[in-house]
Amino acid sequence: KKDDGLKTSAELREVVAIINLAQEFTKRYANTTNLLKMLNELSRSSTGSQSKLLAQHFVLKFTQFAPGTAAYPFSLSKSDGSVLSLESLKGKPTLLVFVAGWSKESLGQLKLLDPIQTKYAKDINFVLISLDNNEEEFKYLMSASGTRITKKASYLSDPYMIEAMNV
């Protein structure tokens, strides 16, 4: 007698269940609160490591931009060797701005953002995250824009951040 795989693999059954829960989540009248509870439980108690990762991925995907939800806990290297982390920004609302030296939109964005940052720097953390693959492009963008935003870092030290924040 031939097994179909689902009967013999607990992890495969968990993966199928997680995918089904994720598909239900996207339906118009889904009970998203209960679906998230189930995905959270699977992300903690699944027997297989791949099942846990898949459930964690969907929990993050479905909650990352919900009001009151914590942001991805990034930790990025700055050009001076220090670290910029989400933890270090606690206490004030934080605006993360993803920019790239090759993007004309980034230059325009920074020119518009600079006077706002000057006015509200005491109340809001303004953070630039470089999407450039080398520091020279980022330095050029900073110079061309004339921005006074001082919190800057590169995504390269935490590339998962780009996926986690849906950039």
Side-chain angles (χ1 to χ4, degrees):
K1 185 177 175 185
K2 188 176 179 182
D3 268 335
D4 65 0
L6 281 176
K7 293 178 183 174
T8 59
S9 173
E11 185 167 12
L12 184 56
R13 286 191 303 269
E14 287 176 344
V15 167
V16 170
I18 291 165
I19 291 170
N20 285 330
L21 289 170
Q23 288 173 338
E24 284 298 311
F25 192 92
T26 62
K27 293 184 178 174
R28 187 171 183 181
Y29 296 106
N31 184 336
T32 55
T33 302
N34 284 341
L35 290 169
L36 274 174
K37 284 180 184 177
M38 288 186 267
L39 285 168
N40 267 318
E41 182 58 32
L42 285 166
S43 74
R44 287 190 296 277
S45 64
S46 288
T47 56
S49 60
Q50 295 300 317
S51 301
K52 284 183 181 182
L53 286 174
L54 185 62
Q56 289 168 356
H57 166 78
F58 283 121
V59 167
L60 180 63
K61 181 177 180 175
F62 295 140
T63 62
Q64 66 185 342
F65 299 117
T69 302
Y72 172 73
F74 63 86
S75 183
L76 303 171
S77 298
K78 295 170 59 175
S79 59
D80 65 4
S82 63
V83 174
L84 178 67
S85 66
L86 180 64
E87 182 69 26
S88 71
L89 300 169
K90 280 192 172 180
K92 293 197 274 186
T94 299
L95 175 65
L96 299 176
V97 181
F98 293 87
V99 295
W102 44 262
S103 168
K104 290 180 184 177
E105 289 82 8
S106 289
L107 183 58
Q109 208 176 25
L110 289 175
K111 287 183 177 183
L112 288 172
L113 189 60
D114 201 51
I116 297 168
Q117 185 270 339
T118 301
K119 183 174 180 178
Y120 296 104
K122 293 177 187 167
D123 304 313
I124 300 172
N125 289 314
F126 291 83
V127 180
L128 299 180
I129 309 294
S130 172
L131 298 175
D132 293 312
N133 289 324
N134 69 58
E135 196 172 327
E136 293 307 312
E137 291 175 357
F138 188 51
K139 284 181 180 177
Y140 170 77
L141 178 64
M142 296 300 97
S143 173
S145 70
T147 188
R148 293 178 292 259
I149 297 175
T150 58
K151 294 179 178 133
K152 307 169 193 151
S154 170
Y155 85 96
L156 291 173
S157 56
D158 188 357
Y160 182 69
M161 176 187 194
I162 301 303
E163 182 182 336
M165 293 194 166
N166 206 19
V167 175

